[in-house]
Amino acid sequence: MVVGIVCEYNPFHNGHKLQIDYAKNILKADAVVVAMSGNFTQRGELACFDKYTRAEAALKCGVDIVLEIPTIFATASAREFAAAGVELLASTGVVDTVLFGAECDDVNLFKGCATKLVELENSGKLDEDIKISLSTGLSYALARSKALEAYIPADLINSPNNILGLEYCRYIKENNLSMDIAIIKRQGNDYNETALSGDLSSASAIRAHLNETDMIWAVPDIAKAIYENNTHLNCDDVSQLLHYKLLSENDYEKYLDCTFDLADRIRNNLKDYVNFSQFCDLLKTKNIAYSRISRVLCHILLNITQKDFKNAKSHGYISYLRMLGFSKKGAEYLGKIKEKGTVPLITAPTEIINSHDIFAADVYRAVMTSKTGKARDNEYTRKFNLTNL
């Protein structure tokens, strides 16, 4: 069995280590392959550590192969993030089980609800119900959630981990992928909790503490040593670059997820811009969530347009497998991936087709250079990670 996990590891923490141990000790996985976000996350923010540092931590803690989710989808909505992650794992040709953490660990419930969701979407019934909810003034996300509650248990669509899990299952069902699912029940504090609560604190809490104190807690010791030897970033470290980009143009509606109404809000409030997080707070409304705004601002910064997204999606989400690192055990599967995979496996940046991945790496490097005062290796000179564990 080869287990696949869609992740961000922002950062890799004790809860993630439990998941890896579950895959190897309970599911008896021969190897664990992860599809991980690069330098920008699904929330539309800079990752707290660069993708190579996070990949190294994951490899040292038991992951066997780390592959990068393309930036266009790593910074997209939960639905598209999940679809790209699962498609990437399927494209390896070796992953047969997708493992995820969720508040609910009822595999049959997830599968049944995924089947129902596909049926609703194919019939057009879900779109009709969403339109009715939209007419009452709800945002699209809330309208979709309200529409789904008539068919799917509310608890399953009211938490981020359950929502992502359902989207993984939906994509597998909709595309008839020969992949099973496994679930580990989530432990520790709430997904969005920003206060540490012990060894199983959330990534949000760990990042908040890191930003406030420059100290990292609730992560495996071996990962902690890696993090402490590297510089961390937060969302506001990109503030000046974003401000310049917003001042340089005003046709924001061409960027992914940006509506005409939100574009107008950006234009009308730009005079009050202070930094990234402050501007997100300034722009948010009862119908536009902070996370939606931060993703849009990220897309503007990284030049990810609606057209770019449609083009990338039309090519099946994944055009290649970008290797970020592998373990000794993972090395045994590289030949199998090259043989069975449906897209090329690449290790050199010169082979990367998607310029957004290179640009995102350059932006992250520019911010890191500004913060540390030291030149950093670019995507073409920094090597991917290899561990002999």
Side-chain angles (χ1 to χ4, degrees):
M1 173 190 289
V2 176
V3 167
I5 298 172
V6 181
C7 62
E8 292 194 310
Y9 292 159
N10 188 37
F12 188 100
H13 55 61
N14 289 330
H16 296 135
K17 184 64 169 67
L18 279 180
Q19 188 180 43
I20 302 303
D21 291 344
Y22 180 85
K24 295 198 167 183
N25 300 330
I26 305 301
L27 299 181
K28 304 299 182 184
D30 298 305
V32 175
V33 178
V34 303
M36 189 186 80
S37 299
N39 288 326
F40 289 81
T41 68
Q42 198 266 326
R43 190 175 168 81
E45 298 179 347
L46 292 162
C48 60
F49 292 97
D50 71 80
K51 61 187 179 183
Y52 295 100
T53 298
R54 289 166 26 247
E56 181 183 2
L59 292 167
K60 291 292 186 182
C61 291
V63 169
D64 295 302
I65 295 176
V66 182
L67 301 169
E68 181 181 358
I69 300 173
T71 303
I72 285 180
F73 301 114
T75 59
S77 66
R79 180 186 180 92
E80 303 298 350
F81 171 85
V86 172
E87 181 60 36
L88 188 153
L89 295 174
S91 296
T92 66
V94 300
V95 173
D96 51 55
T97 302
V98 175
L99 170 64
F100 58 89
E103 283 73 18
C104 171
D105 60 354
D106 187 334
V107 170
N108 290 328
L109 177 61
F110 270 94
K111 288 183 176 180
C113 289
T115 298
K116 183 64 177 178
L117 183 55
V118 172
E119 291 173 352
L120 287 168
E121 291 178 339
N122 289 340
S123 68
K125 175 61 177 171
L126 185 59
D127 285 340
E128 293 176 6
D129 291 350
I130 291 174
K131 288 179 181 178
I132 293 173
S133 294
L134 284 172
S135 66
T136 66
L138 295 178
S139 67
Y140 181 83
L142 289 175
R144 188 170 189 270
S145 178
K146 183 175 177 61
L148 285 174
E149 287 180 1
Y151 310 98
I152 294 175
D155 289 347
L156 208 61
I157 53 175
N158 287 334
S159 70
N161 291 300
N162 284 347
I163 291 171
L164 276 175
L166 184 57
E167 290 296 346
Y168 300 147
C169 296
R170 179 200 63 80
Y171 189 81
I172 291 171
K173 177 66 178 179
E174 185 176 46
N175 293 278
N176 297 313
L177 300 179
S178 56
M179 304 169 78
D180 202 357
I181 68 163
I183 307 172
I184 178 172
K185 194 173 181 64
R186 192 178 185 283
Q187 301 179 47
N189 60 354
D190 184 73
Y191 177 90
N192 291 315
E193 178 60 55
T194 57
L196 292 176
S197 63
D199 289 341
L200 292 178
S201 296
S202 70
S204 296
I206 295 169
R207 290 195 302 273
H209 184 76
L210 178 63
N211 292 334
E212 291 171 5
T213 66
D214 280 337
M215 300 178 68
I216 190 159
W217 296 93
V219 302
D221 288 342
I222 195 167
K224 185 176 182 180
I226 294 170
Y227 296 140
E228 288 179 340
N229 284 324
N230 286 275
T231 301
H232 73 274
L233 299 180
N234 64 65
C235 64
D236 285 334
D237 287 323
V238 79
S239 297
Q240 286 187 327
L241 280 178
L242 175 63
H243 198 188
Y244 175 79
K245 183 66 188 299
L246 293 174
L247 291 170
S248 300
E249 57 182 290
N250 62 10
D251 54 338
Y252 310 126
E253 48 275 309
K254 71 182 180 183
Y255 292 103
L256 180 59
D257 292 332
C258 191
T259 63
F260 286 99
D261 287 345
L262 181 52
D264 279 339
R265 285 189 63 78
I266 294 173
R267 284 187 283 265
N268 294 335
N269 289 279
L270 188 54
K271 65 183 185 303
D272 297 315
Y273 182 101
V274 176
N275 58 41
F276 182 96
S277 59
Q278 170 268 348
F279 200 51
C280 288
D281 280 326
L282 183 64
L283 295 177
K284 73 179 181 180
T285 69
K286 66 176 183 179
N287 294 328
I288 309 177
Y290 182 105
S291 57
R292 168 69 181 274
I293 293 168
S294 63
R295 282 198 298 273
V296 167
L297 295 180
C298 176
H299 296 151
I300 293 173
L301 175 68
L302 299 180
N303 296 321
I304 299 175
T305 66
Q306 311 272 10
K307 184 178 179 181
D308 293 329
F309 176 80
K310 290 179 181 178
N311 182 58
K313 186 174 177 178
S314 70
H315 287 85
Y317 289 100
I318 304 300
S319 300
Y320 50 82
L321 302 174
R322 168 60 167 142
M323 174 75 71
L324 292 180
F326 59 89
S327 69
K328 184 176 181 181
K329 168 63 71 173
E332 299 174 10
Y333 284 84
L334 299 185
K336 296 179 182 178
I337 292 175
K338 290 179 179 178
E339 175 188 349
K340 298 181 179 181
T342 57
V343 294
L345 175 66
I346 67 172
T347 58
T350 52
E351 301 175 85
I352 292 179
I353 303 168
N354 191 334
S355 61
H356 290 100
D357 293 337
I358 296 294
F359 186 64
D362 283 341
V363 169
Y364 197 95
R365 179 171 59 89
V367 175
M368 184 68 76
T369 298
S370 176
K371 186 164 187 175
T372 63
K374 298 178 181 178
R376 319 288 296 191
D377 288 339
N378 64 27
E379 192 74 350
Y380 295 98
T381 58
R382 183 162 184 173
K383 305 299 182 181
F384 61 88
N385 291 299
L386 168 64
T387 175
N388 290 319
L389 293 180

